[in-house]
């Protein structure tokens, strides 16, 4: 099994996949990267994607049978054009922000060096497997969707090559969305592993002196007291240095969080907004389709695309916010562990380091945001569920009222 030795070797899959879609860097190790080549390649990708969609759009009207339901056809056309503009905007913004990724890589490498100095090895292999597993899952999910569309949504007279091309093209926006999401979540997971390592290191620390120890030591001779005092002083000094080193590493991680919010903030804001809007409309469409009088084969044909789209956009919301929330939880645990070390019998230097570290945790909380508009955590998921439910109830009631009005007029 390939074992990456540096961070730059670890993120090669991430860089390659992003560069394929015009969002990555030509060479993360290069001191003077070719910015012109990156921008020209991105522009070529956008132009090629635009012309392909422009040329294939008439074939969708001729061969692609998305639904016999008028609302479903309208939503498909609306989502088709919205996805084109969304991924175009997403690729452009990612290209503009891509150079900031070098700063993130440098800061992560610096934190890795400091963690190695205190005996914590970087999780390079774990991070590489994280990327590979996510890309494999995205590929398998897309392949299943393409196969189902190929067999269920075309006229019987459609040529096989046209069916294959028309089945792949609508999934390009989903792939771009997935690649952008995996990129952001990879760096957040990298920080999560660092927080977890720091927590494990802090839990392994022990303060040798306590009131019980004092009572026991009073019963021993002076020679044993002196020997224990020497050992205890060395242990406390080592723990003080460890706390100081962990505090510095924590400050470096805070800088990385800030750069992550700046680099991926607009992209995540666009993705969350689009995911919430599309999920709401798709759930409303799902409700309408279920209550129509379709036969079982017709119902399955109607539901395949709708369910897959709901899973795609809904999973964006759940995945991003869960990863951010779990990282926040690991960061909060550092404060809980630190506060347990603050005891009256600890040395003044050790107490001062704990107070400084606690103040640093309070002043620099780990918060991931969508460009400052809202925080990414479990509370956002709860808010989205409430918002979608409210809009669904309103849309269903308005639809029922309009249908009743039509029946009265008829």
């Amino acid at each position: 099994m390939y074992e990456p030795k540096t961070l730059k070797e670890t993120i090669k899959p991430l860089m390659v996949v992003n560069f394929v879609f015009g969002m990555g860097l030509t060479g993360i190790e290069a001191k003077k990267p070719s910015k012109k080549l990156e921008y020209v390649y991105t522009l070529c990708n956008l132009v090629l994607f635009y012309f392909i969609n422009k040329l294939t759009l008439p074939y969708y009207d001729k061969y692609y049978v998305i639904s016999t339901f008028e609302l479903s056809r309208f939503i498909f056309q609306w989502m088709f054009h919205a996805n084109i503009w969304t991924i175009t905007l997403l690729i452009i913004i990612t290209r503009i922000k891509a150079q900031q990724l070098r700063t993130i890589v440098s800061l992560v490498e610096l934190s890795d060096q400091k963690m190695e100095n205190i005996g914590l090895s970087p999780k390079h292999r774990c991070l590489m497997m994280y990327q590979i597993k996510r890309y494999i899952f995205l590929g398998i999910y897309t392949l299943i969707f393409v196969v189902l569309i190929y067999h269920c949504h075309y006229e019987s007279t459609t040529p096989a090559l046209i069916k294959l091309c028309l089945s792949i093209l609508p999934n390009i926006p989903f792939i771009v969305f997935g690649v952008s999401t995996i990129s952001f979540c990879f760096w957040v997971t990298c920080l999560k592993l660092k927080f977890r390592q720091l927590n494990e290191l802090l839990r392994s620390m022990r303060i040798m002196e306590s009131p019980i120890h004092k009572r026991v030591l009073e019963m021993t001779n002076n020679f044993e007291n002196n020997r224990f005092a020497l050992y205890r002083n060395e242990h406390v000094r080592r723990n003080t240095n460890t706390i100081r080193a962990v505090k510095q590493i924590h400050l470096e991680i805070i800088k990385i969080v800030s750069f992550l919010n700046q680099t991926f903030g607009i992209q995540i804001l666009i993705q969350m907004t689009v995911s919430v809007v599309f999920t709401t409309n798709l759930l409303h469409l799902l409700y309408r389709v279920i209550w129509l009088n379709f036969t079982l084969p017709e119902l399955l044909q109607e539901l395949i695309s709708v369910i897959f789209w709901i899973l795609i956009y809904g999973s964006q919301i759940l995945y991003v916010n869960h990863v951010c929330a779990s990282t926040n939880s690991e960061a909060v645990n550092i404060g809980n562990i630190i506060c347990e070390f603050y005891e009256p019998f600890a040395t003044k230097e050790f107490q001062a380091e704990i107070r400084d570290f606690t103040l640093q945790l309070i002043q620099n909380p780990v918060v991931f945001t969508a460009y400052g508009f809202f925080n990414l955590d479990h509370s956002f998921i709860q808010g989205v569920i409430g918002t979608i439910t409210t809009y669904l109830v309103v849309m269903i009631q308005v639809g029922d009222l309009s249908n009743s009005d039509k029946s009265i007029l008829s």
Side-chain angles (χ1 to χ4, degrees):
M1 182 66 184
Y2 175 71
E3 187 74 27
K5 298 180 180 179
T6 63
L7 178 65
K8 292 174 181 177
E9 293 179 359
T10 304
I11 62 175
K12 280 184 178 179
L14 194 73
M15 295 294 101
V16 171
V17 175
N18 277 271
F19 183 75
V20 168
F21 294 98
M23 299 186 294
L25 301 172
T26 53
I28 195 68
E29 298 179 359
K31 295 182 179 179
K32 294 182 179 180
S34 179
K35 294 184 180 180
K36 292 183 179 179
L37 177 61
E38 294 173 358
Y39 281 94
V40 169
Y41 180 74
T42 300
L43 182 61
C44 291
N45 271 5
L46 293 175
V47 172
L48 180 62
F49 181 70
Y50 172 79
F51 279 107
I52 289 177
N53 283 278
K54 189 73 174 179
L55 294 175
T56 56
L57 191 57
Y59 290 95
Y60 282 105
D61 297 333
K62 184 177 181 180
Y63 297 110
Y64 195 71
V65 184
I66 181 63
S67 176
T68 57
F69 185 34
E70 183 178 356
L71 178 61
S72 181
R73 293 196 300 271
F74 170 77
I75 290 180
F76 168 77
Q77 294 175 357
W78 174 69
M79 289 180 58
F80 182 83
H81 294 286
N83 277 327
I84 293 175
W85 287 105
T86 300
I87 67 168
T88 301
L89 185 62
L90 193 64
I91 291 174
I92 292 174
I93 295 174
T94 305
R95 164 54 54 216
I96 296 173
K97 296 283 186 177
Q99 300 303 323
Q100 296 183 7
L101 189 60
R102 298 182 187 276
T103 305
I104 295 176
V105 174
S106 300
L107 289 174
V108 174
E109 287 180 330
L110 180 61
S111 66
D112 286 342
Q113 293 175 1
K114 291 185 177 181
M115 292 181 71
E116 288 180 351
N117 293 336
I118 59 176
L120 299 177
S121 60
K123 303 289 186 178
H124 289 154
R125 187 174 182 275
C126 180
L127 292 172
M128 175 167 276
M129 293 304 299
Y130 177 90
Q131 301 169 68
I132 294 174
K133 289 179 181 179
R134 268 55 180 184
Y135 288 136
I136 291 175
F137 178 81
L138 179 63
I140 293 175
Y141 188 89
T142 306
L143 180 61
I144 294 173
F145 196 14
V146 168
V147 171
L148 290 175
I149 291 177
Y150 183 89
H151 289 286
C152 300
H153 285 290
Y154 292 96
E155 300 284 354
S156 57
T157 58
T158 306
L161 183 59
I162 294 178
K163 288 172 64 175
L164 181 61
C165 293
L166 297 182
S167 300
I168 294 175
L169 288 176
N171 292 280
I172 293 178
F174 304 147
I175 298 174
V176 175
F177 271 44
V179 169
S180 180
T181 300
I182 292 172
S183 300
F184 174 71
C185 292
F186 166 79
W187 292 110
V188 177
T189 303
C190 179
L191 301 184
K192 177 183 176 181
L193 292 177
K194 292 183 181 297
F195 282 129
R196 184 173 297 171
Q197 288 180 289
L198 294 179
N199 288 338
E200 292 174 356
L201 176 63
L202 292 174
R203 290 191 184 98
S204 66
M205 293 170 53
R206 293 291 182 269
I207 303 298
M208 295 301 298
E209 186 178 3
S210 69
I212 297 177
H213 289 114
K214 287 182 178 181
R215 290 194 293 268
V216 173
L217 290 174
E218 288 175 357
M219 301 172 61
T220 59
N221 54 43
N222 293 333
F223 174 75
E224 290 177 344
N225 278 333
N226 294 334
R227 185 173 60 184
F228 180 80
L230 292 174
Y231 174 77
R232 176 191 170 278
N233 291 336
E234 177 63 25
H235 188 81
V236 170
R237 190 181 305 110
R238 186 167 60 250
N239 285 346
T240 304
N241 294 333
T242 302
I243 291 289
R244 189 179 295 114
V246 171
K247 182 177 66 175
Q248 294 175 353
I249 296 171
H250 178 270
L251 192 59
E252 293 292 332
I253 297 177
I254 294 299
K255 294 180 182 178
I256 300 173
V257 172
S258 177
F259 272 100
L260 271 180
N261 289 331
Q262 294 176 15
T263 305
F264 293 94
I266 300 179
Q267 297 95 300
I268 295 299
L269 175 63
I270 293 172
Q271 290 179 244
M272 292 297 102
T273 304
V274 170
S275 297
V276 172
V277 174
F278 283 5
T279 302
T280 305
N281 284 277
L282 289 169
L283 287 173
H284 178 239
L285 176 61
L286 179 65
Y287 169 81
R288 292 297 182 189
V289 169
I290 291 175
W291 285 100
L292 291 175
N293 295 322
F294 287 118
T295 62
L296 183 58
E298 292 174 342
L299 182 62
L300 291 176
Q301 182 182 10
E302 297 284 341
L303 293 179
I304 286 174
S305 297
V306 177
I307 292 176
F308 265 80
W309 289 336
I310 291 174
L311 291 176
I312 288 172
Y313 292 112
S315 62
Q316 294 273 341
I317 301 171
L318 298 176
Y319 178 49
V320 171
N321 287 276
H322 175 70
V323 171
C324 294
S326 59
T327 305
N328 290 339
S329 178
E330 288 289 344
V332 170
N333 287 337
I334 292 181
N336 297 334
I337 298 171
I338 287 296
C339 291
E340 293 177 358
F341 289 143
Y342 195 89
E343 298 182 4
F345 51 81
T347 62
K348 293 183 178 180
E349 184 182 5
F350 190 79
Q351 290 179 345
E353 289 295 334
I354 294 177
R355 286 196 299 270
D356 293 342
F357 199 174
T358 305
L359 183 61
Q360 178 176 299
L361 293 171
I362 295 174
Q363 293 178 341
N364 302 281
V366 177
V367 180
F368 298 97
T369 67
Y371 206 62
F373 283 87
F374 47 81
N375 294 342
L376 300 172
D377 50 24
H378 289 152
S379 63
F380 179 76
I381 298 177
Q382 297 173 356
V384 166
I385 293 174
T387 301
I388 291 177
T389 303
T390 302
Y391 278 101
L392 277 178
V393 172
V394 173
M395 293 167 71
I396 291 171
Q397 290 178 344
V398 171
D400 292 339
L401 289 175
S402 62
N403 291 334
S404 63
D405 292 340
K406 291 180 181 178
S407 63
I408 292 173
L409 290 175
S410 62

